[in-house]
Coordinates of all heavy atoms in Angstrom, one line a residue:
G22 N 187.6 94.6 139.3 CA 188.4 95.8 138.8 C 189.5 95.4 137.9 O 189.8 96.0 136.9
I23 N 190.2 94.3 138.3 CA 191.4 93.8 137.6 C 190.9 93.2 136.2 O 191.5 93.5 135.2 CB 192.1 92.7 138.4 CG1 192.8 93.4 139.5 CG2 193.1 91.9 137.5 CD1 193.4 92.4 140.5
M24 N 189.8 92.5 136.2 CA 189.2 91.9 135.0 C 188.6 93.0 134.1 O 188.7 92.9 132.9 CB 188.2 90.9 135.3 CG 188.8 89.6 136.0 SD 187.6 88.3 136.2 CE 187.5 87.6 134.6
M25 N 188.1 94.1 134.7 CA 187.6 95.2 133.9 C 188.7 95.8 133.0 O 188.5 96.1 131.8 CB 187.0 96.3 134.8 CG 185.6 96.0 135.3 SD 185.2 97.1 136.6 CE 185.2 98.7 135.8
L26 N 189.9 95.9 133.6 CA 191.1 96.4 132.8 C 191.4 95.5 131.7 O 191.6 96.0 130.6 CB 192.3 96.6 133.8 CG 193.6 97.1 133.1 CD1 193.3 98.5 132.5 CD2 194.7 97.2 134.2
G27 N 191.4 94.2 132.0 CA 191.7 93.2 130.9 C 190.7 93.3 129.8 O 191.0 93.2 128.6
Q28 N 189.4 93.3 130.2 CA 188.3 93.4 129.2 C 188.4 94.6 128.3 O 188.2 94.5 127.1 CB 187.0 93.4 130.0 CG 186.3 92.0 130.2 CD 185.6 91.5 129.0 OE1 185.3 92.2 128.1 NE2 185.2 90.2 129.1
G29 N 188.7 95.7 128.9 CA 188.8 96.9 128.2 C 189.9 96.9 127.1 O 189.8 97.3 126.0
I30 N 191.1 96.3 127.5 CA 192.2 96.1 126.6 C 191.8 95.2 125.5 O 192.0 95.5 124.3 CB 193.5 95.6 127.3 CG1 194.0 96.7 128.3 CG2 194.6 95.2 126.3 CD1 195.1 96.2 129.2
G31 N 191.3 94.0 125.8 CA 190.9 93.0 124.8 C 189.8 93.5 123.9 O 189.9 93.3 122.7
A32 N 188.8 94.3 124.4 CA 187.7 94.8 123.6 C 188.2 95.9 122.6 O 187.8 95.9 121.5 CB 186.6 95.3 124.4
A33 N 189.2 96.7 123.1 CA 189.7 97.7 122.2 C 190.5 97.1 121.1 O 190.4 97.6 119.9 CB 190.7 98.6 123.1
I34 N 191.3 96.1 121.3 CA 192.0 95.4 120.3 C 191.1 94.7 119.3 O 191.2 94.8 118.1 CB 193.0 94.4 120.9 CG1 194.1 95.1 121.7 CG2 193.7 93.6 119.8 CD1 195.0 94.2 122.5
G35 N 190.0 94.0 119.9 CA 189.1 93.3 119.1 C 188.3 94.2 118.2 O 188.0 93.8 117.0
S36 N 187.9 95.4 118.7 CA 187.1 96.3 117.8 C 187.9 96.8 116.7 O 187.4 97.1 115.6 CB 186.5 97.4 118.7 OG 187.6 98.1 119.3
R37 N 189.2 96.9 116.8 CA 190.1 97.4 115.7 C 190.3 96.2 114.7 O 190.3 96.5 113.5 CB 191.4 97.8 116.3 CG 191.3 99.2 116.9 CD 192.6 99.6 117.7 NE 192.6 101.0 118.1 CZ 191.9 101.4 119.2 NH1 191.1 100.6 119.9 NH2 191.9 102.7 119.5
C38 N 190.4 95.0 115.3 CA 190.5 93.8 114.4 C 189.3 93.6 113.6 O 189.3 93.1 112.5 CB 190.9 92.6 115.2 SG 192.6 92.6 115.8
L39 N 188.1 93.9 114.2 CA 186.8 93.7 113.5 C 186.8 94.5 112.2 O 186.1 94.0 111.2 CB 185.7 94.2 114.4 CG 184.2 93.9 114.0 CD1 184.0 92.4 113.8 CD2 183.3 94.5 115.0
I40 N 187.5 95.6 112.1 CA 187.5 96.4 110.9 C 188.2 95.6 109.8 O 187.9 95.7 108.6 CB 188.1 97.7 111.1 CG1 187.4 98.5 112.3 CG2 188.1 98.6 109.9 CD1 188.1 99.7 112.7
R41 N 189.2 94.9 110.1 CA 190.2 94.3 109.2 C 190.0 92.8 109.0 O 190.5 92.2 108.0 CB 191.6 94.6 109.6 CG 191.9 96.0 109.8 CD 193.3 96.2 110.2 NE 193.6 97.6 110.5 CZ 193.5 98.2 111.6 NH1 193.1 97.5 112.6 NH2 193.8 99.5 111.8
I42 N 189.3 92.1 109.9 CA 189.2 90.6 109.9 C 188.6 90.1 108.6 O 187.5 90.7 108.2 CB 188.5 90.1 111.1 CG1 188.6 88.6 111.2 CG2 187.1 90.6 111.2 CD1 188.1 88.0 112.6
P43 N 189.1 89.1 107.9 CA 188.4 88.6 106.7 C 187.1 88.0 107.1 O 186.9 87.4 108.2 CB 189.4 87.5 106.3 CG 190.7 87.9 106.8 CD 190.4 88.6 108.2
Y44 N 186.1 88.1 106.2 CA 184.8 87.6 106.4 C 184.8 86.2 106.9 O 184.1 85.8 107.8 CB 183.9 87.8 105.2 CG 182.7 86.9 105.1 CD1 181.6 87.2 106.0 CD2 182.7 85.9 104.3 CE1 180.5 86.3 105.9 CE2 181.6 85.0 104.2 CZ 180.5 85.3 105.1 OH 179.4 84.5 105.0
L45 N 185.5 85.3 106.2 CA 185.5 83.9 106.5 C 186.0 83.6 107.9 O 185.4 82.8 108.6 CB 186.4 83.1 105.5 CG 186.5 81.6 105.7 CD1 185.1 81.0 105.6 CD2 187.5 81.0 104.7
W46 N 187.0 84.4 108.4 CA 187.5 84.2 109.8 C 186.4 84.6 110.8 O 186.3 83.9 111.8 CB 188.7 85.1 110.0 CG 190.0 84.6 109.2 CD1 190.0 83.7 108.2 CD2 191.3 85.0 109.4 NE1 191.3 83.6 107.7 CE2 192.1 84.4 108.5 CE3 191.9 85.9 110.3 CZ2 193.5 84.6 108.4 CZ3 193.3 86.1 110.2 CH2 194.0 85.5 109.3
L47 N 185.7 85.7 110.5 CA 184.7 86.1 111.4 C 183.6 85.1 111.5 O 183.1 84.7 112.6 CB 184.1 87.4 111.0 CG 183.0 88.1 111.8 CD1 183.5 88.3 113.2 CD2 182.6 89.4 111.2
R48 N 183.2 84.5 110.3 CA 182.1 83.5 110.3 C 182.6 82.2 111.0 O 181.8 81.7 111.8 CB 181.9 83.2 108.8 CG 180.7 82.3 108.5 CD 180.4 82.2 107.1 NE 179.3 81.4 106.7 CZ 178.7 81.4 105.5 NH1 179.2 82.2 104.6 NH2 177.7 80.6 105.3
V49 N 183.8 81.8 110.8 CA 184.3 80.6 111.5 C 184.4 80.8 113.0 O 184.0 80.0 113.8 CB 185.7 80.2 111.0 CG1 186.4 79.2 111.9 CG2 185.6 79.7 109.6
L50 N 184.7 82.1 113.4 CA 184.8 82.4 114.9 C 183.5 82.3 115.5 O 183.3 81.8 116.6 CB 185.5 83.7 115.0 CG 185.9 84.2 116.5 CD1 186.8 83.1 117.1 CD2 186.6 85.5 116.5
V51 N 182.5 82.9 114.9 CA 181.1 82.9 115.4 C 180.6 81.4 115.6 O 180.1 81.1 116.6 CB 180.1 83.7 114.5 CG1 178.7 83.5 115.0 CG2 180.5 85.1 114.5
V52 N 180.8 80.6 114.6 CA 180.4 79.2 114.6 C 181.2 78.5 115.7 O 180.6 77.7 116.5 CB 180.6 78.5 113.3 CG1 180.3 77.0 113.4 CG2 179.7 79.1 112.2

């Protein structure tokens, strides 16, 4: 339950960053 709250917060922030993140950063992060 505690980790669910953390995951929800992190995922919400991450999905917003996904819209703005430079392509190169996303590529480097996946690798």
